[in-house]
Amino acid sequence: MQQLQTKVAIIGAGSAGLSAWHAARKHTDDVVLIEEGPYGTTCARVGCMPSKLLIAAANTAHSARNAAMFGVAVNEVAVDGQAVMARVKRERDRFVDNVLSSMKSIPESHRLQGHARFIDPHTLAIGDHTQLTANAIIIATGSRPTWPRLLEGAGNRLIINDDVFDWETLPGSVAVVGPGVIGMELGQALSRLGVRTRTFGVGGAVGPFQSDKLRQLADETFNRELYLDPDATIEQVEQQGDGVAITFYERESRQKTTELFDYVLAATGRKPNVDQLGIEKAGVALDARGVPRFNRFTTQCLAQDNTPSHIFIAGDANQSVPLLHEAITEGKIAGRNAACLDDVQMGQRNVALAVVFTEPQMAIVGESRAALEARYGGCDCIAEGGVSFDDQGRARVMGENHGYLALYAEHGSGRFLGAEMLGPRAEHIAHLLAWALEQTLTVSQMLTMPFYHPVVEEGVRSGLRDLQASLKQGAGIAERCMECGPGD
């Protein structure tokens, strides 16, 4: 076994790991990047990009079927499953190739292939061929799908989102378990492409929403075109030949029924890939999930005595905000700080921004009202306003007039605090609102911004006016809410 030393070792060559590599190299040439699996990042290979390719095909088919609304006759909509999947894989491979091309900027002498595990806080074993000692170590190992034991009854008909993008053609039917981001995006896309789908959840959640109003509205809206039961009772999952039988209670009738599907797609959550690193030998403090405790502004892990460690964690491995742009940000912070251990600095973290690419789209900017109330200690300092898109001008023109935008602000100061949205063009509206939140604008300041006509963004103005009307003003109100204040 060869013995190597380095200043910075990065475990994982995904989005966070690559970002960390480039940041660290600005301060030192002594950096080693370790990867166990194929290069290419989760986003490019099995995540963001291939899923959006599938969604684009699905939305095209859906638009064609609904063209009669605009007086456009489409005689037949035929979905060629092989052609759909061929384009998905062809374009997916282009995105992966772009990532692989960027890997060429990293010299082979600075790359190690194999599974990494801790021998002690400063030493890693890489496969059975290398022992690497590092001054600083960055954990950027990503995460993997998990599912309840009940679904294992599906045998080899149980799949995850990764498997979808290996299909040669579309199946006849899929049961989706988990109406979160992945489940809702893929479930709706498959349904629009002609795949018989049913989507099951537990507890009533739909997408990322915490608002009861938006959860209910999303439930009602999506059920107009597909079967969604966010609080389902599944009694049995059993493989039968080349399919899987699911016994469940129908949403409306509550009658027990058994239905056969080609596959069961598990979209029930993800687990950080830290449990196979020998993390117990890293000398870091772990939370109840076995994930290292860390400072989100430095990405620096805490040692077991609660002092700052030489180990950093970035991206999906820490399960803080499992989104691509957050992984890249955390990688930059971790790479810089690991290369400059004597001068660890706080990195800039942006406001929370999440988008789900269903139709209507779902988005959250900042925190939900429930989270805000918890941060303000439960006092009545949060104002809420909103707007329905059912009669919004541009939304009606496009035939996409469904949804609601909930907006939150602080009484007294009028400071904008966040939003939850189900509706058309939410991906763009969410960015505008995130920029306003990042700039700590007040509702009054936001209302001074230009709004063109006719655009969906005019709905934002209507919502802001409603929010403004609900704000309580006055020095006493402001002083009280400042005393309560949002927590850390």
Side-chain angles (χ1 to χ4, degrees), residues 10-11 116 156 162-163 212 223 236 254 371 479:
I10 303 170
I11 311 173
N156 63 11
D162 302 34
D163 302 315
D212 290 337
N223 263 293
Q236 187 176 28
R254 304 314 299 168
E479 183 177 347

Side-chain angles (χ1 to χ4, degrees), residues 204 206 209 211-221 251:
V206 179
F209 293 136
S211 162
D212 290 337
K213 178 173 184 174
L214 282 164
R215 280 186 176 185
Q216 182 178 348
L217 182 59
D219 185 359
E220 295 171 355
T221 302
R251 173 173 176 152

Side-chain angles (χ1 to χ4, degrees), residues 92-109:
R92 181 270 315 273
D93 291 346
R94 288 183 68 254
F95 291 122
V96 173
D97 286 345
N98 290 337
V99 177
L100 296 180
S101 295
S102 72
M103 291 295 299
K104 294 178 182 178
S105 66
I106 302 177
E108 287 191 21
S109 59

Side-chain angles (χ1 to χ4, degrees), residues 150-151 173-177 196-202 223 227-238 244-261 263-264:
L150 173 68
L151 299 188
S173 57
V174 175
V176 180
V177 182
R196 176 172 57 85
T197 66
R198 289 186 184 267
T199 301
F200 304 99
V202 176
N223 263 293
Y227 181 96
L228 165 63
D229 186 352
D231 193 17
T233 300
I234 298 177
E235 194 169 272
Q236 187 176 28
V237 177
E238 181 181 19
V244 55
I246 298 183
T247 301
F248 62 98
Y249 287 85
E250 282 276 1
R251 173 173 176 152
E252 298 302 328
S253 68
R254 304 314 299 168
Q255 295 295 310
K256 185 164 72 172
T257 185
T258 299
E259 196 167 331
L260 192 66
F261 299 89
Y263 295 101
V264 174

Side-chain angles (χ1 to χ4, degrees), residues 23 38 93 134 197 313 429 444:
D93 291 346
T197 66
I313 188 166
I429 289 175
S444 295

